[in-house]
Amino acid sequence: MSTKPMIVQVGPLHGPTQDELARRYDVRRLFEATDKAAFLAAVAPQCQVAVTSGTRGMEASLMQALPQLKLVACFGVGVDAIDVAHAHANGIAVSNTPDVLTEDVADLALALLLGAIRRIPQGDRFVREGSWLKGGMALTASMQQRKVGIVGLGRIGVAIAKRCAAFNTELAYFGPREKPASGLRYFADLVAMARWSDVLIAACPGGEGTRGLVSRSVLEALGPAGVFVNIARGSVVDEAALTELLTSGALGSAGLDVFEREPQVPAGLIALDHVVLHPHQGSATHDTRAAMGRKVLENVEAWFAGRPLIDPV
Ligand code: NAP
């Protein structure tokens, strides 16, 4: 019988964070249980804290199976896979890991954008396949002087804007409210911003509030020379329309870190040479994952000590 406080770990996490949790707490791993019902029945009388990841999240039924639950600590800033409304309605706090991942995610957005515009993966293949020996690669579009529209000017959106400014771009954003302090052009209408933009970058939260926000009409307005970059969530874009428009040439190209049914990526997207695909790696650097882990540990520690959470959602 452990004397450490119990926590339930819903899914696998960054290794060192998982190890540190196990050192400090009596960690029960739901994802390793063969009989989930028996596991939940055994931990339910005691479990007040659950730790999960942004991709695994925590559904209402799992919270209901843990009636003593008081905190869901999320490894990740996006909490769209957690039923936050249910948690709050039932007195369960939720924490996440903002700020520490902002710069890495913004870096990846720019990498995907440059990769798509300057055709970097295609250039890599061109060299490896020996095509260069037969002649030079075709010219590409330029990143310079592009009009970039950011969907969601939050922490990551602002960091993306800062980077884009270094490429002499014109910037605008779309979101629920105008942010005059940003000094950037605001569009209250996403289709209008897409029509104005050469590049559209999604950096808003996922979940029901933004499902399909980047719709067929938005992508059509972006047009045949337009580039769409998604580092937000796959649910934010109509993926079927995205695939269809990229295939027909009605949309220029895309750089995608996130997909609707990860790790499944539509075969239609995989078949397209002019799309850069990446396996949800926005925050996946050693330093950032370690910093996210520290935030999870700090929030759990604060809760057990009766202090306010550091990153309440
Ligand atoms: P944040 O600071 O909360 O920013 C989110 C922004 O989106 C806010 O400015 C918000 O506007 C805006 N927004 C909310 N609803 C919107 C809507 N319907 N349409 C357009 N904009 C909307 O969060 P963050 O730290 O920048 O993170 C943003 C998202 O990035 C996360 O939720 C997550 O899904 C994603 N993410 C992805 C990765 C990856 O690995 N690819 C890593 C980390 C995060 P207001 O400010 O007006 O509320």
Side-chain angles (χ1 to χ4, degrees):
M1 187 78 179
S2 174
T3 53
K4 298 174 186 173
M6 178 195 284
I7 66 172
V8 162
Q9 188 182 329
V10 178
L13 292 175
H14 169 246
T17 303
Q18 209 166 261
D19 295 346
E20 186 56 24
L21 278 170
R23 203 183 62 75
R24 295 184 189 189
Y25 303 103
D26 173 16
V27 176
R28 308 294 179 92
R29 294 179 175 167
L30 174 62
F31 59 102
E32 287 177 356
T34 41
D35 183 342
K36 306 261 187 259
F39 172 95
L40 290 169
V43 297
Q46 254 182 288
C47 173
Q48 294 188 294
V49 172
V51 176
T52 190
S53 65
T55 39
R56 170 58 183 85
M58 190 156 182
E59 59 281 11
S61 58
L62 182 50
M63 294 184 213
Q64 280 158 353
L66 298 169
Q68 305 304 319
L69 191 67
K70 296 287 180 300
L71 171 67
V72 178
C74 178
F75 184 97
V77 69
V79 290
D80 48 293
I82 297 175
D83 194 332
V84 176
H86 177 87
H88 287 167
N90 289 279
I92 302 167
V94 178
S95 67
N96 65 350
T97 64
D99 302 312
V100 291
L101 45 67
T102 298
E103 306 299 334
D104 270 343
V105 180
D107 286 350
L108 190 73
L110 265 290
L112 290 171
L113 176 53
L114 285 165
I117 290 189
R118 298 300 303 270
R119 302 176 67 86
I120 294 170
Q122 296 89 328
D124 181 85
R125 291 195 284 273
F126 192 83
V127 174
R128 287 174 201 281
E129 288 162 3
S131 304
W132 197 12
L133 299 170
K134 299 170 211 149
M137 186 172 149
L139 305 184
T140 74
S142 171
M143 174 77 184
Q144 296 295 312
Q145 315 295 341
R146 290 267 170 141
K147 290 182 178 147
V148 180
I150 299 173
V151 184
L153 194 70
R155 289 170 290 242
I156 295 171
V158 166
I160 290 170
K162 255 196 250 168
R163 285 158 177 73
C164 286
F167 291 91
N168 305 309
T169 54
E170 243 183 277
L171 283 156
Y173 66 100
F174 163 84
R177 63 200 121 252
E178 189 166 1
K179 301 186 170 192
S182 71
L184 302 182
R185 176 169 181 179
Y186 174 65
F187 281 90
D189 181 320
L190 183 49
V191 172
M193 184 170 83
R195 204 173 292 121
W196 172 87
S197 300
D198 299 312
V199 170
L200 197 70
I201 305 181
C204 60
E208 288 317 307
T210 55
R211 186 170 295 282
L213 176 69
V214 180
S215 61
R216 175 181 293 271
S217 331
V218 170
L219 295 168
E220 280 170 350
L222 191 55
V227 183
F228 173 63
V229 172
N230 194 359
I231 54 81
R233 284 288 184 263
S235 59
V236 162
V237 62
D238 178 342
E239 204 168 68
L242 175 69
T243 308
E244 195 188 310
L245 296 172
L246 283 165
T247 306
S248 70
L251 179 65
S253 64
L256 308 170
D257 185 43
V258 285
F259 304 88
E260 220 172 324
R261 278 175 286 278
E262 296 171 8
Q264 302 298 327
V265 176
L269 284 177
I270 289 177
L272 297 174
D273 183 55
H274 59 304
V275 175
V276 183
L277 305 173
H278 211 61
H280 200 151
Q281 290 284 94
S283 67
T285 67
H286 295 296
D287 290 352
T288 288
R289 288 289 166 90
M292 291 163 68
R294 284 194 293 276
K295 276 201 171 267
V296 170
L297 291 159
E298 282 164 14
N299 279 290
V300 172
E301 187 183 308
W303 188 85
F304 277 117
R307 296 193 304 267
L309 293 175
I310 298 157
D311 307 292
V313 172

